[in-house]
Amino acid sequence: MLLITAGLSCDQSRTGTATTDRQNELVQLARRRFAAFFDGDKKVYEQLVAKDAVFAYSNGRTLNYEEAMSELAPLAKAGTYNFHYEDIKFRDFGNSALLVYRLVFHGPAGEGGDYEGVESDTFARVDDAWKLIAVHGTTIPYPKRASVKVDRKRLDEYVGRYESTPGIYYDITCEGDQLVGRRNGFQKTPWVAESTDVFYVASDPTATRVFMRAPNGQVAKLVRVDVQGNTEWTRVNEGSAAAGLN
């Protein structure tokens, strides 16, 4: 769907008051969809998003409708975040439309913090109503984050395999005094410590990797936190403390 929309000439887009009204209507729908995403409001999502919608993000994740709905959960309490759109671009193709904008988000530090990205939303008329059929979000890199030195003994506590779903996992290793992460199917990447148990990747600075500990103090889970949602990876290697969190 995205390729078909992108292939249309701008000369085919509409102009005038009708386009302005439609742009305002779809901007409001986009805002409702994003608020529903952060509130975990599945009812609103069902109203606004087509059942064959596709979601793609700059961290490499692509989701279909069912996958997006299964991950939908409240990411912050109401009133603890705000967002607005800047530099809005709109193309109207009659029964479909493209909305591109800069998303500026301010949220609680423990829930992903502030975020800026460029997002494109593709809408189509489905059963005489506008439905979101595709989303692509690209994170705008942040300034360099702080880093701290973590001793090798502490780094060794993180070493192991962490699995999100069967067959999807991270292997965390140490190379000298450097923690290294490698998701299966991808190249290994150095992880930078921001504080004890909290890391980030230089090429993905808006996301945070947090190692979670069981009551006995052993590392049991890895959580990737960003504005697009949290992903949990449970430690599965032999001798894991994962059971201590359950």
Side-chain angles (χ1 to χ4, degrees):
M1 293 180 181
L2 281 174
L3 292 177
I4 294 173
T5 302
L8 294 174
S9 167
C10 288
D11 292 336
Q12 292 174 270
S13 61
R14 302 184 179 193
T15 59
T17 303
T19 293
T20 300
D21 292 343
R22 180 164 292 179
Q23 174 178 332
N24 292 337
E25 177 185 4
L26 294 183
V27 167
Q28 291 305 311
L29 291 181
R31 287 180 57 85
R32 286 182 61 202
R33 197 278 306 179
F34 186 77
F37 164 77
F38 223 74
D39 293 340
D41 191 334
K42 293 188 177 183
K43 183 176 181 179
V44 171
Y45 240 65
E46 290 172 351
Q47 293 173 351
L48 301 180
V49 180
K51 297 299 187 292
D52 58 352
V54 177
F55 302 79
Y57 299 108
S58 57
N59 60 11
R61 300 192 73 205
T62 57
L63 305 174
N64 59 30
Y65 176 86
E66 290 78 12
E67 292 167 333
M69 288 292 287
S70 69
E71 294 188 1
L72 205 60
L75 298 178
K77 294 180 180 179
T80 63
Y81 69 90
N82 63 82
F83 67 92
H84 66 274
Y85 296 161
E86 298 178 355
D87 194 23
I88 297 172
K89 301 292 191 300
F90 178 67
R91 297 293 182 270
D92 184 355
F93 303 105
N95 288 325
S96 65
L98 177 66
L99 195 64
V100 180
Y101 52 87
R102 184 186 183 107
L103 170 64
V104 181
F105 176 90
H106 300 287
E111 303 290 348
D114 294 346
Y115 166 86
E116 289 192 27
V118 174
E119 186 154 324
S120 62
D121 293 346
T122 305
F123 294 88
R125 297 291 290 182
V126 178
D127 297 329
D128 202 32
W130 286 109
K131 295 284 187 177
L132 185 67
I133 61 172
V135 174
H136 184 270
T138 301
T139 299
I140 297 173
Y142 279 17
K144 184 177 179 180
R145 292 173 62 168
S147 62
V148 298
K149 179 73 172 179
V150 177
D151 64 65
R152 176 56 189 263
K153 183 178 180 180
R154 173 74 70 174
L155 293 178
D156 285 341
E157 296 178 8
Y158 308 128
V159 171
R161 175 166 290 184
Y162 300 79
E163 187 176 75
S164 62
T165 57
I168 305 296
Y169 58 85
Y170 263 109
D171 281 330
I172 307 299
T173 58
C174 276
E175 296 184 0
D177 291 330
Q178 176 67 63
L179 196 70
V180 176
R182 187 186 73 82
R183 180 174 169 179
N184 59 310
F186 294 82
Q187 295 183 341
K188 60 184 179 181
T189 306
W191 286 24
V192 183
E194 190 168 44
S195 63
T196 301
D197 296 346
V198 179
F199 291 76
Y200 66 92
V201 175
S203 60
D204 186 23
T206 62
T208 300
R209 281 83 172 164
V210 182
F211 289 97
M212 306 294 291
R213 294 179 180 271
N216 62 9
Q218 292 183 287
V219 175
K221 288 186 179 182
L222 169 65
V223 182
R224 184 187 185 280
V225 181
D226 71 4
V227 72
Q228 296 163 354
N230 298 350
T231 306
E232 286 194 1
W233 306 74
T234 301
R235 197 171 187 177
V236 296
N237 58 304
E238 186 175 353
S240 167
L245 281 185
N246 296 327

